[in-house]
Amino acid sequence: VTRVADQPSAFDVLVAQAAERLERSAFDFLDGGATDEITLDANRRAFERWCLLPRTCVDVSTVDVSVELRHARLDVPYFVAPSGAHRLFHPDAEFASAAAAKSSGAVYVTSTAASVSMEELAAVAPDERWYQLYCFRDRGVVADLVRRAEHSGYRALVVTVDAPVLGRRLRDVRNNFSVGPEIRWANLEPYGAADLGGPTDGSVVARYFADQIDPSITWDDIEQLVASTHLPVYVKGVLHPGDARRAVSAGVQGVYVSNHGGRQLDRVPATLDALGDIVEAVGDELDVLVDGGVRCAADVVIALARGADAVGLGRLVIYALAAGGQASMTAVLDELRDDLIHTLRLLGVPRLRSLDRSSLVPARPTES
Amino acid sequence: VTRVADQPSAFDVLVAQAAERLERSAFDFLDGGATDEITLDANRRAFERWCLLPRTCVDVSTVDVSVELRHARLDVPYFVAPSGAHRLFHPDAEFASAAAAKSSGAVYVTSTAASVSMEELAAVAPDERWYQLYCFRDRGVVADLVRRAEHSGYRALVVTVDAPVLGRRLRDVRNNFSVGPEIRWANLEPYGAADLGGPTDGSVVARYFADQIDPSITWDDIEQLVASTHLPVYVKGVLHPGDARRAVSAGVQGVYVSNHGGRQLDRVPATLDALGDIVEAVGDELDVLVDGGVRCAADVVIALARGADAVGLGRLVIYALAAGGQASMTAVLDELRDDLIHTLRLLGVPRLRSLDRSSLVPARPTES
Amino acid sequence: VTRVADQPSAFDVLVAQAAERLERSAFDFLDGGATDEITLDANRRAFERWCLLPRTCVDVSTVDVSVELRHARLDVPYFVAPSGAHRLFHPDAEFASAAAAKSSGAVYVTSTAASVSMEELAAVAPDERWYQLYCFRDRGVVADLVRRAEHSGYRALVVTVDAPVLGRRLRDVRNNFSVGPEIRWANLEPYGAADLGGPTDGSVVARYFADQIDPSITWDDIEQLVASTHLPVYVKGVLHPGDARRAVSAGVQGVYVSNHGGRQLDRVPATLDALGDIVEAVGDELDVLVDGGVRCAADVVIALARGADAVGLGRLVIYALAAGGQASMTAVLDELRDDLIHTLRLLGVPRLRSLDRSSLVPARPTES
Amino acid sequence: VTRVADQPSAFDVLVAQAAERLERSAFDFLDGGATDEITLDANRRAFERWCLLPRTCVDVSTVDVSVELRHARLDVPYFVAPSGAHRLFHPDAEFASAAAAKSSGAVYVTSTAASVSMEELAAVAPDERWYQLYCFRDRGVVADLVRRAEHSGYRALVVTVDAPVLGRRLRDVRNNFSVGPEIRWANLEPYGAADLGGPTDGSVVARYFADQIDPSITWDDIEQLVASTHLPVYVKGVLHPGDARRAVSAGVQGVYVSNHGGRQLDRVPATLDALGDIVEAVGDELDVLVDGGVRCAADVVIALARGADAVGLGRLVIYALAAGGQASMTAVLDELRDDLIHTLRLLGVPRLRSLDRSSLVPARPTES
């Protein structure tokens, strides 16, 4: 007897397609995490520890899946999380991923390490587009990136703080991961730092990172960033409730609970596990975003019920990009939206903004 | 050394026989659950987290396995749970399953989606027979079904509330599940909605369901149903204690804790896990029924000890129907009764109605 | 790299030897448990949930492993638990097992279902020998067995109360378990009930049991038994603390926590898990014995540290009997004693009677 | 798709190299533990139950990994734990391991059972070198060893108290573990007890141990040892908080939480699990050292965050010694230091001495 659990899921098929179409080193760069990939795995398993607890006899003939952030209403509660160098995964690069986000109503966050510049991307990206920022040693670069994001219509800044140094991504080290001259960090071309090509010993990303990124930034730098722009700022990579409290006084609009997809420090908590304490600490004062391990609508619902205001999609959509470009990624995003509506119907929650912890129970209650 | 755990259990043999005799798509329709079948699996595993705690030196020379509901005394504490289209599983269809229930003393619940009409079935079904109702968009259909159930001697109504839309049963979708013209929803023939045949894209049941079933019903509809009939009403598909409380004020006779055999929303709690809070919330005021994952007498005992008043049998008896028609199903039900008496003797509980939580302990206590 | 865990342990070797030398149906009768053998397995796993917590800098040059019961001092803290029909396992039958117990200093408990009569056995058994009693429908048989035990020098009675009917031992049912004419229940010959031979449908033991054993005994019967003899009485098969309390008022000397080696009601707690609450309930007033799953000295230490006064050995020594008769069983018992002394040295507990719960911690503490 | 978890880690490769280069019996002596090797395994798994909880926006441009003991500042927070007879693993013996420790800045602890005498070793060992002591039956030997350690520049004594008798190392027994004449216990040559060669029945180490080591030592002996030397004394092998309290009054400088690498009493707690209660009991008054299962920088960080003052490295560095002598061991130690600095950067803890429990969370929180 073959059970459904014995068959590859739609997600498994997507990963297999991506694996087939990509060079091994590019696939590993996408698929891999830091060190023993324990956190990478934990991000997924954390969702398995929660059950959905449905209400019945609720009119679910129409379902509203929009959510509200402090600066914007989102049509869907998820966004394309920032990730670098989409040209590694598909020749259409960020043009494809941004267009897919736009057609499906999702926010798009472009990375400092994008292979398409933020100005080029503005034309195809959704109106609600955000810019992800690394803190370069050269603060002039940072200031210029912020100014350019403002000018090209980005509506929020996402500053990454969990990467003072790069994580130990053993697959990249083993693969001597490097990229051809066609892969450039387009946002950085004005500063002469865009070229990743040429031979390398170990990971080219790790080498570049050590050269350019500042490991000495503090909350004072965050405060100065907030003061330097009219854009709302999200601090990405927060796992500790104490940091979330500090973020409040730094004046940011939100914290973004992330472990960088398990790619920075291994053996940190799953983001879903870290989320609860952070919502408890700052949920009334800040937006709380989260990413890590989200694969389906039930995961989105669990993260939101635990208190997140919106949920980032990383590998899920990039596997799709690799598997079939804009079309595949659009299909995944549209399917996710259908699945979310269907899930909310069966959950008895027609208005996503009303969702709260009463729709969850631990998966294995201890009873007596 | 071969241990008993290495050998197929009687239940495993039954499933294998069903798998052998049925078309793959029919077997999958019976055997499968929603999405990743996590809840389907959880229903079973929940029973493994409880141990039976026997009393000794009790006179168990005679054992009484009857239980009391608000409207009836049941000879055995279980009933055949409603499931559709038994002709898919055996040519004798509901005639076989209802007769097996009658001969073994169990309540029989026929489905709105039965392949034999409730009137035809009345002749062979037990006196204690109940009718399961879906809420159709056309409320005239609902009213007529209720009137017919009353007239043909059904003694309770079981209204299903966990299916405003159909669950994502991926096996059915993959199989393009459809049925031949010999499978009809006989109860619905008067309303021109009985024919399921013909080509389909995806599951024929899902398509039919979306057309006919009303996703907007509320507790007001339940109250109107209660007011429209002299029959006691059970609300089937309740998992949330808040819904159980609401059911009290709606005037129903009981709540039926079910997740539709893991066929509706995946990743909801196992019914046994949900049962405790619901008994706590309404056990003194309503009958509490439960189904999901019951495979043997010990499971029945655990569910009753957790506070259920009676226990539904779903796949267990339908696999038997598929394996060998009325004879196999009767054998399974008779064996269950023998096993129940034997279990209660060794448990030191000669009167099933006296069973309570003191006969259970968690399977892995945490001690200090 | 081969780790020790990949190699068969001494215990595994013993079981394999027993399996090789016995008829399959005799091995299964010994090795098997009831129904799904969940309790059989749980008895073992319960020990894995405890760690030994040693003390250091204690003078362990001499170690005393004796313990005190209310009526006797035992040289070692374990006894050969009652089990039936040793002739099934070795031609020397109970003569071999009793002699092994005597040479190693352990108490020997002979079964009502022994293949050697208690009178014959008295000559080779240890001075500290006990008689296990079933409650027959014919109370004259019971009274006579008690009188005979008194006259042939047995020093305690162990009355089994967890078997009003026999457990469902599926291996025996599948094997149509029966025995040849050489296997007799020698203690029962005076009552014309000793012959187990001849064809059978299902297990011969189950059939015999249903004929002879009384399922209606109550605590009143226990009180009458206590009043009828000067021997101390142990009630064997208690798992519920409420029964242990009742045993106090029945006037017994002790309760014997047992689930009949997982051979009666399946899915009851592991005896080690049940032990704690029973010691809590009656440990100051009664002796508490326990059996189930003990395989090595560390298991003995854990059971005693949880509050047992002595520990029964069942399958462990019977596998040895089957593997090599008296010599093998003596070797196992001597090795156990050496291992116990060694364990207590490393545990820093030179006097076993001083052992208490401070020498244990849960195997996986939850810390915060 | 091949995941990193499917590939052998650097540690696995090291063990495989050691296995390849060593005689089987020598490898088993190194690799094995007592009895069922449950504690050996538990030492590793205990680390998996903790997550690192990083802080962000901390200046980590420089990282200080030194720690302070009561008598010394250590450049790195780990030390080479005492282990015997390094000549079994590499011809350069302790000369190689001590030189590797020195070049990497780690404390070196030489064993009483070393194959090189403490005087010979002094020339190549680090300035911060300690001497491990067993309590011989002949206290004159003990006194002389202490005097020699003082004279040859050892800065602390580590007295082992978890070995009044040797653990049951089944691999050694099975291998009839013995050594050739080239393996001598060089520290013991003055006392005529250095020769381990010649035929043996079972483990030669076990036989030697039973002859020479005193199983009657008590805390009085520890007090006398403390009084007999100006060197600080660590008591190695403490797992019980009560013993840690007693160690305070005995006047030692510290307790060393160890289960002898799982080689003494099996089924005792993982050292990391025992550490917490001991730090709670004596952490303000004594140094607390710990060893067992440390394989990488994250493990070191977890042990220190749980309250240890320094961490011992056992098998990790000895596998390296076996795999490639001083060069391999130096490489492992240098890599560990780099990894530690990297881990602290990503953890947001630039000064190791500031690390505390706020950097840890349980790996699977139970939330509600």
Side-chain angles (χ1 to χ4, degrees):
Chain A
V1 172
T2 307
R3 298 285 160 92
V4 74
D6 304 329
Q7 302 195 17
S9 69
F11 179 76
D12 294 337
V13 169
L14 204 63
V15 175
Q17 286 174 343
E20 192 180 333
R21 298 194 183 176
L22 295 178
E23 296 278 332
R24 176 58 187 265
S25 69
F27 176 77
D28 273 345
F29 176 69
L30 164 57
D31 189 63
T35 315
D36 298 314
E37 301 187 346
I38 291 169
T39 292
L40 176 63
D41 187 49
N43 277 351
R44 280 297 309 137
R45 285 183 297 108
F47 287 97
E48 299 169 10
R49 295 206 302 278
W50 292 101
C51 276
L52 302 172
L53 188 61
R55 302 303 297 250
T56 61
C57 300
V58 175
D59 180 351
V60 292
S61 49
T62 62
V63 171
D64 175 0
V65 297
S66 69
V67 292
E68 296 277 354
L69 299 181
R70 274 166 176 70
H71 76 285
R73 179 183 169 285
L74 309 187
D75 291 341
V76 290
Y78 40 81
F79 56 90
V80 174
S83 62
H86 289 188
R87 202 177 303 279
L88 269 173
F89 310 120
H90 195 274
D92 295 341
E94 282 81 2
F95 292 118
S97 51
K102 183 173 191 176
S103 80
S104 77
V107 174
Y108 187 84
V109 190
T110 193
S111 168
T112 286
S115 38
V116 170
S117 77
M118 64 178 116
E119 289 84 0
E120 294 172 288
L121 205 58
V124 301
D127 291 347
E128 192 65 33
R129 55 182 178 267
W130 306 345
Y131 182 75
Q132 178 273 334
L133 192 66
Y134 279 114
C135 249
F136 287 80
R137 292 182 190 271
D138 180 344
R139 300 298 160 94
V141 170
V142 174
D144 198 56
L145 287 167
V146 170
R147 186 191 50 76
R148 288 167 57 199
E150 290 171 341
H151 288 190
S152 47
Y154 290 81
R155 295 187 176 173
L157 295 176
V158 175
V159 58
T160 298
V161 295
D162 62 1
V165 294
L166 201 74
R168 298 211 156 174
R169 303 173 191 176
L170 298 184
R171 297 201 218 184
D172 295 352
V173 173
R174 287 175 185 165
N175 292 335
N176 252 5
F177 178 55
S178 64
V179 297
E182 77 284 8
I183 308 292
R184 298 176 65 77
W185 284 357
N187 284 318
L188 305 177
E189 295 209 318
Y191 325 114
D195 190 356
L196 286 170
T200 180
D201 174 24
S203 162
V204 66
V205 176
R207 188 196 59 190
Y208 181 92
F209 219 85
D211 287 349
Q212 301 288 332
I213 303 299
D214 190 343
S216 75
I217 66 158
T218 66
W219 287 103
D220 291 346
D221 297 280
I222 303 299
E223 288 177 6
Q224 287 165 26
L225 175 68
V226 169
S228 76
T229 179
H230 67 275
L231 294 177
V233 172
Y234 290 99
V235 183
K236 174 173 182 280
V238 171
L239 293 172
H240 200 296
D243 283 348
R245 288 303 318 160
R246 183 65 185 84
V248 173
S249 58
V252 303
Q253 170 164 301
V255 287
Y256 182 157
V257 179
S258 175
N259 51 35
H260 219 115
R263 299 160 78 85
Q264 284 295 104
L265 182 58
D266 198 22
R267 295 168 71 169
V268 306
T271 48
L272 188 69
D273 291 336
L275 179 63
D277 285 347
I278 287 177
V279 168
E280 189 80 19
V282 303
D284 293 339
E285 297 162 80
L286 299 182
D287 289 345
V288 180
L289 312 178
V290 67
D291 68 14
V294 174
R295 297 291 175 263
C296 63
D299 297 340
V300 172
V301 168
I302 291 169
L304 294 170
R306 293 288 298 157
D309 294 296
V311 176
L313 307 174
R315 286 182 185 82
L316 172 64
V317 293
I318 307 304
Y319 290 129
L321 177 68
Q326 179 180 342
S328 285
M329 186 164 152
T330 300
V332 162
L333 286 167
D334 289 351
E335 165 75 14
L336 183 64
R337 185 194 167 97
D338 289 349
D339 191 14
L340 179 60
I341 293 169
H342 184 260
T343 297
L344 291 171
R345 281 207 162 102
L346 290 178
L347 193 63
V349 178
R351 198 162 169 275
L352 184 52
R353 270 167 288 182
S354 308
L355 182 73
D356 62 26
R357 293 194 182 196
S358 71
S359 289
L360 293 185
V361 281
R364 294 187 157 223
T366 313
E367 293 173 278
S368 61
Chain B
V1 173
T2 306
R3 298 285 159 94
V4 74
D6 304 330
Q7 302 195 16
S9 68
F11 179 75
D12 294 337
V13 169
L14 204 64
V15 175
Q17 286 174 343
E20 192 180 330
R21 299 195 182 173
L22 295 178
E23 295 278 331
R24 177 58 187 266
S25 69
F27 176 77
D28 273 345
F29 176 69
L30 164 58
D31 189 64
T35 314
D36 297 314
E37 301 188 348
I38 291 169
T39 292
L40 176 63
D41 187 49
N43 277 351
R44 280 299 310 139
R45 286 184 296 108
F47 287 96
E48 299 169 9
R49 296 205 302 278
W50 292 101
C51 277
L52 302 172
L53 188 61
R55 303 303 296 253
T56 60
C57 300
V58 175
D59 179 351
V60 291
S61 49
T62 62
V63 172
D64 174 0
V65 297
S66 69
V67 293
E68 296 276 355
L69 299 181
R70 272 163 177 72
H71 76 285
R73 180 182 170 283
L74 309 187
D75 291 341
V76 290
Y78 41 81
F79 57 88
V80 174
S83 62
H86 289 188
R87 201 177 305 279
L88 269 173
F89 310 120
H90 195 274
D92 295 341
E94 283 80 2
F95 292 119
S97 52
K102 183 172 190 177
S103 80
S104 77
V107 174
Y108 186 84
V109 189
T110 193
S111 168
T112 285
S115 37
V116 170
S117 77
M118 63 179 115
E119 289 85 359
E120 293 172 288
L121 205 58
V124 302
D127 291 347
E128 192 64 33
R129 58 182 177 265
W130 305 345
Y131 181 75
Q132 177 272 335
L133 193 65
Y134 279 114
C135 249
F136 287 80
R137 292 182 190 270
D138 179 344
R139 300 298 159 93
V141 169
V142 174
D144 198 56
L145 287 167
V146 170
R147 186 191 50 77
R148 288 168 57 198
E150 290 171 341
H151 288 190
S152 46
Y154 289 81
R155 294 186 177 175
L157 295 176
V158 174
V159 58
T160 298
V161 295
D162 63 1
V165 293
L166 200 74
R168 297 211 158 175
R169 303 174 190 177
L170 299 183
R171 297 201 217 182
D172 295 352
V173 174
R174 287 174 185 167
N175 292 334
N176 252 5
F177 178 55
S178 64
V179 296
E182 77 283 8
I183 308 291
R184 299 177 64 77
W185 284 357
N187 285 316
L188 305 177
E189 295 209 319
Y191 324 116
D195 191 356
L196 287 170
T200 180
D201 174 23
S203 162
V204 65
V205 176
R207 189 197 57 188
Y208 182 92
F209 218 84
D211 287 349
Q212 301 288 332
I213 303 299
D214 189 344
S216 75
I217 66 158
T218 66
W219 288 103
D220 292 345
D221 297 280
I222 303 298
E223 289 177 6
Q224 287 165 25
L225 174 68
V226 169
S228 76
T229 179
H230 69 274
L231 293 177
V233 172
Y234 290 99
V235 183
K236 175 172 182 279
V238 171
L239 292 172
H240 200 296
D243 284 348
R245 288 303 318 161
R246 183 64 184 84
V248 173
S249 58
V252 303
Q253 170 165 302
V255 288
Y256 182 158
V257 179
S258 175
N259 51 36
H260 218 114
R263 299 160 78 87
Q264 284 295 105
L265 183 58
D266 198 22
R267 295 168 71 169
V268 304
T271 46
L272 188 68
D273 291 337
L275 179 64
D277 285 347
I278 287 178
V279 167
E280 190 81 19
V282 303
D284 294 339
E285 297 162 79
L286 299 183
D287 288 346
V288 179
L289 312 178
V290 67
D291 68 15
V294 174
R295 297 291 175 262
C296 62
D299 298 340
V300 172
V301 168
I302 291 170
L304 294 171
R306 293 288 297 156
D309 294 295
V311 176
L313 307 175
R315 285 183 184 83
L316 171 64
V317 292
I318 307 303
Y319 291 129
L321 177 68
Q326 180 181 339
S328 286
M329 185 165 153
T330 300
V332 162
L333 287 167
D334 288 351
E335 165 75 14
L336 183 63
R337 185 193 167 97
D338 289 349
D339 191 14
L340 180 61
I341 292 169
H342 184 259
T343 298
L344 291 171
R345 282 207 161 102
L346 291 178
L347 193 62
V349 178
R351 196 161 169 276
L352 184 51
R353 270 166 286 183
S354 307
L355 182 73
D356 61 26
R357 293 194 182 197
S358 70
S359 288
L360 295 184
V361 282
R364 295 186 154 224
T366 314
E367 293 174 278
S368 63
Chain C
V1 172
T2 305
R3 298 286 158 93
V4 74
D6 304 329
Q7 302 195 15
S9 68
F11 179 74
D12 294 337
V13 169
L14 205 63
V15 175
Q17 286 174 343
E20 192 180 330
R21 298 194 182 175
L22 295 178
E23 296 279 331
R24 176 58 187 268
S25 68
F27 177 76
D28 273 345
F29 176 70
L30 164 58
D31 189 63
T35 314
D36 297 313
E37 301 189 347
I38 291 169
T39 293
L40 176 63
D41 187 49
N43 277 351
R44 280 298 310 136
R45 286 183 297 109
F47 287 96
E48 298 169 9
R49 296 205 302 278
W50 292 100
C51 276
L52 301 171
L53 188 62
R55 302 303 297 251
T56 61
C57 300
V58 174
D59 179 352
V60 291
S61 48
T62 61
V63 171
D64 174 2
V65 297
S66 68
V67 292
E68 296 276 355
L69 299 182
R70 273 164 176 72
H71 76 286
R73 181 183 168 283
L74 308 187
D75 291 341
V76 289
Y78 39 82
F79 56 88
V80 174
S83 61
H86 289 187
R87 202 176 304 279
L88 270 173
F89 310 120
H90 195 273
D92 295 341
E94 282 81 1
F95 292 117
S97 52
K102 184 173 191 176
S103 79
S104 77
V107 175
Y108 186 83
V109 190
T110 193
S111 168
T112 285
S115 38
V116 170
S117 78
M118 64 177 115
E119 288 85 1
E120 293 173 287
L121 205 58
V124 302
D127 290 349
E128 192 66 32
R129 56 183 178 267
W130 304 345
Y131 181 75
Q132 177 272 334
L133 193 66
Y134 278 113
C135 252
F136 287 79
R137 291 183 191 269
D138 180 343
R139 300 298 159 92
V141 170
V142 174
D144 198 57
L145 288 166
V146 170
R147 186 190 52 76
R148 289 167 57 198
E150 290 172 341
H151 289 188
S152 47
Y154 290 80
R155 294 185 177 176
L157 296 175
V158 175
V159 58
T160 298
V161 295
D162 63 0
V165 294
L166 201 75
R168 298 212 155 174
R169 303 174 190 176
L170 299 183
R171 297 202 217 182
D172 296 352
V173 173
R174 286 173 186 167
N175 292 335
N176 251 7
F177 177 54
S178 63
V179 295
E182 76 284 6
I183 308 292
R184 299 176 64 78
W185 284 358
N187 284 317
L188 305 177
E189 296 209 318
Y191 324 115
D195 190 358
L196 287 169
T200 179
D201 174 25
S203 162
V204 65
V205 176
R207 188 196 58 187
Y208 182 92
F209 218 85
D211 287 348
Q212 301 288 331
I213 304 299
D214 189 345
S216 74
I217 65 158
T218 66
W219 288 103
D220 291 346
D221 297 279
I222 303 299
E223 289 178 7
Q224 288 165 24
L225 174 67
V226 169
S228 75
T229 179
H230 69 275
L231 294 177
V233 171
Y234 289 100
V235 183
K236 175 171 181 280
V238 171
L239 293 172
H240 200 295
D243 284 347
R245 287 305 315 161
R246 183 64 184 84
V248 173
S249 58
V252 303
Q253 171 164 300
V255 288
Y256 182 157
V257 179
S258 175
N259 50 37
H260 218 115
R263 298 160 78 86
Q264 284 295 105
L265 182 59
D266 198 21
R267 296 168 71 170
V268 305
T271 48
L272 187 69
D273 291 336
L275 179 64
D277 286 346
I278 286 177
V279 168
E280 190 79 21
V282 303
D284 293 339
E285 297 162 79
L286 300 182
D287 288 345
V288 180
L289 312 178
V290 66
D291 69 15
V294 173
R295 298 291 175 262
C296 63
D299 298 339
V300 171
V301 168
I302 291 169
L304 294 170
R306 294 287 297 157
D309 294 295
V311 176
L313 307 174
R315 286 183 184 83
L316 172 64
V317 292
I318 307 302
Y319 290 130
L321 177 68
Q326 180 181 341
S328 285
M329 186 165 153
T330 300
V332 162
L333 286 167
D334 289 352
E335 165 74 15
L336 183 64
R337 186 193 167 98
D338 288 350
D339 191 13
L340 179 61
I341 291 170
H342 184 259
T343 298
L344 291 171
R345 281 205 162 102
L346 290 177
L347 193 63
V349 177
R351 195 162 169 276
L352 184 53
R353 271 167 286 183
S354 308
L355 182 74
D356 61 26
R357 293 194 182 196
S358 71
S359 287
L360 295 184
V361 281
R364 296 186 154 223
T366 313
E367 294 174 280
S368 64
Chain D
V1 172
T2 305
R3 298 287 159 92
V4 75
D6 305 328
Q7 301 194 16
S9 68
F11 179 75
D12 294 336
V13 170
L14 205 63
V15 175
Q17 286 174 342
E20 192 180 331
R21 298 193 183 176
L22 295 178
E23 296 279 331
R24 175 59 188 265
S25 68
F27 176 77
D28 274 344
F29 176 69
L30 164 58
D31 189 63
T35 314
D36 297 314
E37 301 188 347
I38 291 169
T39 293
L40 175 64
D41 187 49
N43 277 351
R44 280 297 311 137
R45 285 183 298 108
F47 288 97
E48 299 169 9
R49 296 206 302 277
W50 291 101
C51 276
L52 302 171
L53 188 62
R55 302 302 298 249
T56 61
C57 299
V58 175
D59 179 352
V60 291
S61 48
T62 61
V63 171
D64 175 0
V65 298
S66 68
V67 292
E68 295 278 354
L69 299 181
R70 273 165 175 72
H71 76 286
R73 179 183 169 284
L74 309 187
D75 291 341
V76 290
Y78 39 82
F79 56 90
V80 174
S83 61
H86 289 188
R87 201 176 306 278
L88 269 173
F89 310 121
H90 195 274
D92 295 341
E94 282 80 2
F95 292 118
S97 51
K102 184 173 191 176
S103 80
S104 77
V107 175
Y108 186 83
V109 189
T110 193
S111 168
T112 286
S115 38
V116 170
S117 77
M118 64 178 116
E119 289 84 1
E120 293 173 288
L121 205 57
V124 301
D127 290 347
E128 191 65 31
R129 56 182 177 268
W130 306 345
Y131 181 74
Q132 178 272 334
L133 191 66
Y134 279 113
C135 251
F136 287 80
R137 292 182 190 270
D138 180 344
R139 299 298 160 92
V141 170
V142 174
D144 198 58
L145 287 166
V146 171
R147 187 190 50 77
R148 289 167 56 198
E150 290 171 341
H151 289 188
S152 47
Y154 290 81
R155 295 185 176 175
L157 295 175
V158 174
V159 58
T160 298
V161 294
D162 63 2
V165 292
L166 201 74
R168 299 211 155 175
R169 304 174 190 175
L170 299 184
R171 297 202 218 184
D172 295 353
V173 174
R174 287 174 185 167
N175 292 335
N176 251 7
F177 177 55
S178 64
V179 297
E182 78 283 7
I183 308 292
R184 297 176 64 78
W185 284 358
N187 285 316
L188 305 177
E189 296 208 319
Y191 325 115
D195 191 356
L196 286 170
T200 179
D201 173 24
S203 163
V204 65
V205 177
R207 189 195 59 189
Y208 182 93
F209 218 85
D211 287 348
Q212 301 288 332
I213 302 300
D214 189 345
S216 74
I217 66 158
T218 66
W219 288 103
D220 291 345
D221 297 280
I222 303 298
E223 288 177 6
Q224 288 166 25
L225 175 68
V226 169
S228 76
T229 179
H230 69 274
L231 293 177
V233 172
Y234 289 99
V235 183
K236 176 173 181 278
V238 172
L239 293 172
H240 200 295
D243 284 347
R245 287 306 315 162
R246 182 66 185 82
V248 173
S249 59
V252 304
Q253 170 164 300
V255 287
Y256 182 157
V257 179
S258 175
N259 50 36
H260 219 115
R263 298 160 78 85
Q264 284 294 105
L265 183 58
D266 198 22
R267 296 167 72 169
V268 306
T271 48
L272 187 70
D273 291 335
L275 179 64
D277 285 346
I278 287 178
V279 168
E280 189 81 19
V282 303
D284 294 339
E285 298 162 79
L286 299 182
D287 288 346
V288 179
L289 312 179
V290 67
D291 68 14
V294 174
R295 298 289 176 265
C296 63
D299 298 340
V300 172
V301 168
I302 291 169
L304 294 170
R306 294 287 297 157
D309 294 295
V311 176
L313 307 174
R315 286 183 184 82
L316 172 64
V317 293
I318 306 303
Y319 291 129
L321 177 67
Q326 180 181 341
S328 286
M329 186 164 151
T330 300
V332 163
L333 286 167
D334 288 352
E335 165 75 14
L336 183 64
R337 187 194 165 96
D338 289 349
D339 192 13
L340 179 61
I341 292 169
H342 184 260
T343 297
L344 291 171
R345 281 207 161 102
L346 291 178
L347 193 63
V349 178
R351 197 162 170 277
L352 184 52
R353 271 166 287 184
S354 307
L355 182 72
D356 61 26
R357 294 195 183 197
S358 71
S359 288
L360 294 185
V361 280
R364 295 186 157 223
T366 313
E367 293 173 280
S368 61

